[in-house]
Amino acid sequence: MTASLIPPSLEDVEALALAAREALPAPYRAAARAVALRVEDFAPDGILDALGLEDPFELTGLYEGIPLTEKSVMDQPDRPDTIWLFRRPILDEWAGRGTVALDELVAHVLVHELAHHFGWSDADIARIDRWWE
């Protein structure tokens, strides 16, 4: 079997996400670094149940935390804000599209989840993620 037939690993997807985070515009990079990043094959059952999803391939990423626009000094978080990326659904979407580079797709999912953290509007997202171009 050749290396080109081996799907990207959890570590590969994480490396792509970390590179995308470092490529963010400077005003957002430091705050994005404060958000934990988890890469798993699929969302845990508890997350799927909470979102009412039966098919784990429907969820490529998730932001778990309190958006900066809603945080208060009174908030006592029990865990860090976290962005989850789900490798298998991302790879499934990547293979299904066939026209998007994996690093671009991972960056797109990451930026979408960061948008929840930052409280970005669609216009804010469009300035960072030129996905449609």
Side-chain angles (χ1 to χ4, degrees), residues 21 30 42-43 103:
R21 184 175 68 187
F42 290 103
D103 62 334

Side-chain angles (χ1 to χ4, degrees), residues 21-115:
R21 184 175 68 187
E22 291 306 307
L24 289 170
Y28 305 112
R29 196 174 312 129
R33 287 178 186 146
V35 178
L37 179 65
R38 290 192 61 176
V39 181
E40 301 289 342
D41 275 324
F42 290 103
D45 289 339
I47 288 176
L48 294 172
D49 292 344
L51 296 173
L53 298 175
E54 292 183 21
D55 182 356
F57 281 96
E58 290 182 47
L59 190 62
T60 56
L62 178 74
Y63 170 69
E64 190 173 54
I66 301 170
L68 292 178
T69 55
E70 298 174 18
K71 280 193 190 225
S72 164
V73 294
M74 301 303 286
D75 289 327
Q76 296 298 313
D78 59 349
R79 61 182 167 252
D81 290 344
T82 303
I83 289 177
W84 296 71
L85 298 179
F86 304 115
R87 183 184 77 98
R88 294 283 309 277
I90 289 172
L91 294 180
D92 193 58
E93 182 175 339
W94 175 54
R97 287 181 179 273
T99 58
V100 175
L102 182 58
D103 62 334
E104 292 173 355
L105 181 57
V106 169
H108 172 70
V109 174
L110 178 73
V111 167
H112 178 83
E113 299 312 327
L114 279 171

Side-chain angles (χ1 to χ4, degrees), residues 104 108 111 122-133:
E104 292 173 355
H108 172 70
V111 167
D122 287 344
D124 295 329
I125 295 170
R127 283 192 289 278
I128 304 296
D129 183 17
R130 308 300 291 181
W131 175 252
W132 61 90
E133 291 180 349

